[in-house]
Amino acid sequence: MVETATANHSTSPNAADWALWSIVLIVIVTVLRIAALALSQVELYPDESQYWVWSREFDWGYFSKPPLIAWAIGVSTAILGVSDFAIRLPAPLFHAVTASFIMLTARQLAGPRAGFWAAIVYLTMPAVFLSSGIISTDAVMMSFWAAGLFAATRLRDQSSWPMAVLLGCAIGFGFLAKYAMIYFVIGTGLAILIDPPARRALVSLKGALAAIIGVLILLPNLLWNASNEFATLQHTAANANWGGSLFHFNEMAEFITAQLGVFGPALFLVLIFAAIASLRRALRFDGNPVRLLALYLLPALIVVSFQAFISRAHANWAASAYVAGSVLVTLVLLDGRKWRQILLYLSIAMATFAGMVFMAAALQPQWANDIGAANSFKRVRGWQASANAISQASQDADVDALMFDDRNVFHQMQRYGAAIETPIYMWRRYGGAHNHADMTWPLPDDFTGNVLVVSERPYDVPRMRDDFDRFEPAGSISIDLGGGHSRDFTLWRAQGYDRVLRDAEYEQRWAEIDASGGRD
C-alpha cells in the first residue's frame, strides 16, 4: 500500500491542465471563503480579540504567542480598517498559500495529478473549513510548514540554493508563527537519519545555510523572550500542565478520537495505517516518498498523544501533521486499486458537505440553533450585546473603574466595548502575571476609587472580596446566546482596594477553604 514510487509527470500531455485546475480550485475556494467571512454573523472568538489587541503595537513577541499572527492582523487592519472581517481575512489567505505548497510538494513527489488532489484534500479538511473562518496561529504556521516541506523535498531531489533559502525562511518564520514548528525540525532530523537522499541534501552547505537563516529570523524573538523573563516560552511550558496527576487514558482517547474530526474519519485511518506501514520498512533505503512524509507527520501526533496521556491536549495541537498528511493519503489512495480512489473521492465529498453545513450555520445563527449547533457558536455570539450591557451598567453605577476576572471577557471588551467610557482593568489572581491582560492592565495597587467588578467566574468572587474593604452585590447581566445558552455576569460594587499578598500562606489558606467547601 505504501510503495508509491517517486515520479515526475511534468512532461505528460495534461500536466499543464492539472496545474491550471489546481490554481483555479485554490482561487475559487479562497474567494468563497472570503465572501463567507464578509457575510458571517459570528463575532470574534476571545483569542482572536487578544491577537488584535497585540496587533495595535508592533513587537517581537507577546505574552503567549510569537509575533507573526499580530503582524498579519496589523497589516490587514492597516489596509482595510478595523473590522472583524479584516482581522480574520489573513486566515483564508494563509490556507491558500498552504494548499499551493501542498500541491507543489505532491507534484514534486508523484506528478501534477497528485498535486491537484492533495490540494483538494487539504482545502476540504474539516479543521481547515473551521480554521478558514477564524484567525489562529495554526493557519499562519501551516503555510510556512508547507513551504518548508516543499523546499525539503525539492532539495532532496534537486540540489538548489534558492530551495535552501526557502527552507531556512520557512523554518524561521514558522517559529515566529508558533513554536509547534519544532515538530518540523524533528521531522527533518529523522529524515536525515533514515532517508539517504534527504541526508545527502541537508548535511551540506545548503543545509547549513538553511539552518543559519532560520536561526537569524528567530533570533529577535528569542532576544525578546530573554528580556521579558521568557514569557512566551514559560506560557508554552505551562500550557502542557504537567503539574497535576499523570496518566490520563481518557484524555489520550479523546484526543485521538478528535483527530477523526480534524482530518476526516477515513483519511485519518488511512494516514495512520500508511505511516506505520512505511516505517516498518524504514531500513529499506529505497527513497520511498511516503516514508519521508511519515517522518514529518508522526512526531506531532506521537508527542501530542503522549501529552494528552500525561495531562491534556487540544485537538488542534497536532494540526501541523496534516500538511504532510494531505500529501501522504493522496499518494496512497491514488495508487493501486480503484477502491482507493473511490475512498478518496467519497472522503472529500463528505468533508465538503460537512464544511458547507458549518459555513451555513456561521452565516445564519437561527439555522445553527435549529440544527442543534448553538453550543458550537456560543463563544462567538453576544459580545457586542455584552459590551453594551456592561457599558450601561458602568454608567448607572457611576464608578471610577471596571474590573474583570476573566481575560477572555476583558479582551472582548477591548474589541467591542468602544462605548465603555470607564477605564477597564483586570483582577490579578496570582502573585505574577498569568496572561497578557493581567500583565498589562492590572488594577493598580494604589487605586483608591470605586470599582464595578464584572465577574463571569463565581468561583473567584470570594477571593476578589478579600482584596477590598467593601464588596457589595450590584446586580447581574444575562445575555441570550440562542439555543438555550446565555452568558451571565454578576456585578459587585467595591471600594478600598488593598490587594492581599499572594504568598504561600495565602495559597494554603484558600486551598483549605476550597477543600472544606467553605466558600460563600
Side-chain angles (χ1 to χ4, degrees):
M1 180 176 184
V2 294
E3 293 298 322
T4 306
T6 302
N8 186 352
H9 302 291
S10 60
T11 59
S12 62
N14 63 348
D17 293 338
W18 283 115
L20 174 62
W21 282 111
S22 298
I23 295 170
V24 169
L25 168 79
I26 293 169
V27 170
I28 289 175
V29 171
T30 303
V31 169
L32 289 174
R33 284 175 171 165
I34 292 173
L37 273 186
L39 298 172
S40 176
Q41 298 185 45
V42 299
E43 294 165 313
L44 296 183
Y45 186 78
D47 282 348
E48 295 178 283
S49 291
Q50 176 180 243
Y51 302 149
W52 167 73
V53 170
W54 294 348
S55 75
R56 297 186 297 176
E57 183 177 347
F58 175 88
D59 210 335
W60 284 103
Y62 300 91
F63 185 87
S64 59
K65 296 290 188 294
L68 203 54
I69 189 168
W71 297 355
I73 293 171
V75 170
S76 180
T77 54
I79 295 171
L80 301 175
V82 177
S83 66
D84 290 357
F85 169 76
I87 292 169
R88 284 173 166 157
L89 178 60
L93 299 179
F94 275 115
H95 282 301
V97 172
T98 305
S100 299
F101 278 113
I102 284 175
M103 180 267 292
L104 291 172
T105 300
R107 181 187 179 93
Q108 172 69 23
L109 294 175
R113 176 169 172 257
F116 174 82
W117 286 108
I120 293 182
V121 167
Y122 178 78
L123 289 172
T124 59
M125 200 169 88
V128 172
F129 263 104
L130 172 62
S131 183
S132 295
I134 61 175
I135 183 66
S136 69
T137 51
D138 287 326
V140 184
M141 179 198 66
M142 289 170 76
S143 62
F144 294 101
W145 184 293
L149 183 63
F150 169 64
T153 55
R154 280 292 299 272
L155 273 174
R156 177 179 181 268
D157 293 340
Q158 304 169 18
S159 180
S160 167
W161 287 105
M163 287 299 107
V165 172
L166 177 60
L167 178 60
C169 290
I171 292 173
F173 284 109
F175 272 109
L176 290 184
K178 191 173 183 178
Y179 294 146
M181 193 71 186
I182 189 65
Y183 297 125
F184 183 92
V185 176
I186 295 172
T188 302
L190 292 173
I192 290 172
L193 288 174
I194 294 177
D195 187 69
R199 182 163 56 251
R200 287 190 294 270
L202 295 172
V203 183
S204 65
L205 291 177
K206 294 181 180 67
L209 175 63
I212 291 170
I213 291 173
V215 171
L216 289 176
I217 291 173
L218 180 59
L219 184 59
N221 176 253
L222 296 178
L223 294 176
W224 179 91
N225 265 284
S227 64
N228 287 272
E229 300 179 350
F230 292 96
T232 312
L233 294 174
Q234 286 189 48
H235 172 83
T236 302
N239 234 7
N241 192 35
W242 286 8
S245 60
L246 304 179
F247 312 126
H248 303 272
F249 288 98
N250 60 324
E251 292 284 348
M252 184 172 67
E254 287 178 15
F255 169 76
I256 294 174
T257 302
Q259 301 314 297
L260 299 174
V262 170
F263 194 51
L267 294 186
F268 180 71
L269 295 176
V270 170
L271 175 75
I272 296 302
F273 176 77
I276 294 175
S278 69
L279 293 181
R280 286 175 58 191
R281 291 185 286 268
L283 296 179
R284 289 179 54 185
F285 301 131
D286 54 7
N288 187 340
V290 173
R291 183 174 63 241
L292 177 70
L293 295 168
L295 298 176
Y296 278 99
L297 69 89
L298 285 175
L301 287 173
I302 292 172
V303 171
V304 180
S305 294
F306 179 72
Q307 159 67 26
F309 176 61
I310 63 175
S311 177
R312 61 183 175 84
H314 296 303
N316 69 307
W317 285 7
S320 59
Y322 301 115
V323 174
S326 296
V327 182
L328 185 149
V329 297
T330 302
L331 267 60
V332 168
L333 294 180
L334 285 181
D335 180 62
R337 297 179 181 178
K338 189 68 175 179
W339 68 264
R340 295 187 186 179
Q341 297 174 41
I342 294 173
L343 177 61
L344 175 66
Y345 305 148
L346 286 177
S347 297
I348 290 171
M350 293 175 61
T352 301
F353 175 76
M356 296 301 291
V357 169
F358 174 81
M359 290 177 65
L363 293 173
Q364 181 47 258
Q366 185 54 50
W367 190 72
N369 295 345
D370 293 341
I371 64 172
N375 187 60
S376 300
F377 290 91
K378 66 183 180 182
R379 297 197 71 183
V380 288
R381 288 180 176 177
W383 287 112
Q384 187 62 65
S386 299
N388 293 342
I390 290 171
S391 176
Q392 185 61 54
S394 69
Q395 294 177 34
D396 295 342
D398 189 25
V399 292
D400 302 299
L402 285 169
M403 189 182 80
F404 297 86
D405 61 356
D406 185 279
R407 72 165 182 95
N408 293 327
V409 177
F410 181 85
H411 287 308
Q412 295 295 56
M413 294 307 104
Q414 290 179 303
R415 172 69 190 101
Y416 296 106
I420 298 176
E421 298 178 355
T422 308
I424 64 174
Y425 297 100
M426 270 293 295
W427 174 66
R428 182 175 283 184
R429 156 66 182 87
Y430 297 96
H434 270 226
N435 54 65
H436 182 72
D438 73 19
M439 177 181 73
T440 311
W441 296 280
L443 187 67
D445 289 337
D446 59 354
F447 190 86
T448 58
N450 295 324
V451 179
L452 182 65
V453 176
V454 182
S455 174
E456 199 188 30
R457 304 175 65 178
Y459 186 83
D460 279 327
V461 167
R463 278 195 174 98
M464 286 190 290
R465 182 185 293 122
D466 222 18
D467 287 335
F468 291 88
D469 292 337
R470 296 182 62 186
F471 198 90
E472 301 169 347
S476 62
I477 295 173
S478 183
I479 304 298
D480 181 22
L481 303 179
H485 301 282
S486 64
R487 180 174 298 117
D488 300 309
F489 304 100
T490 56
L491 306 179
W492 307 84
R493 189 179 181 90
Q495 291 176 303
Y497 182 58
D498 185 14
R499 187 168 181 267
V500 178
L501 178 65
R502 268 55 166 171
D503 56 11
E505 182 181 346
Y506 173 89
E507 296 297 344
Q508 179 62 33
R509 177 165 62 90
W510 277 104
E512 292 173 358
I513 293 173
D514 293 342
S516 66
R519 289 175 175 270
D520 55 12

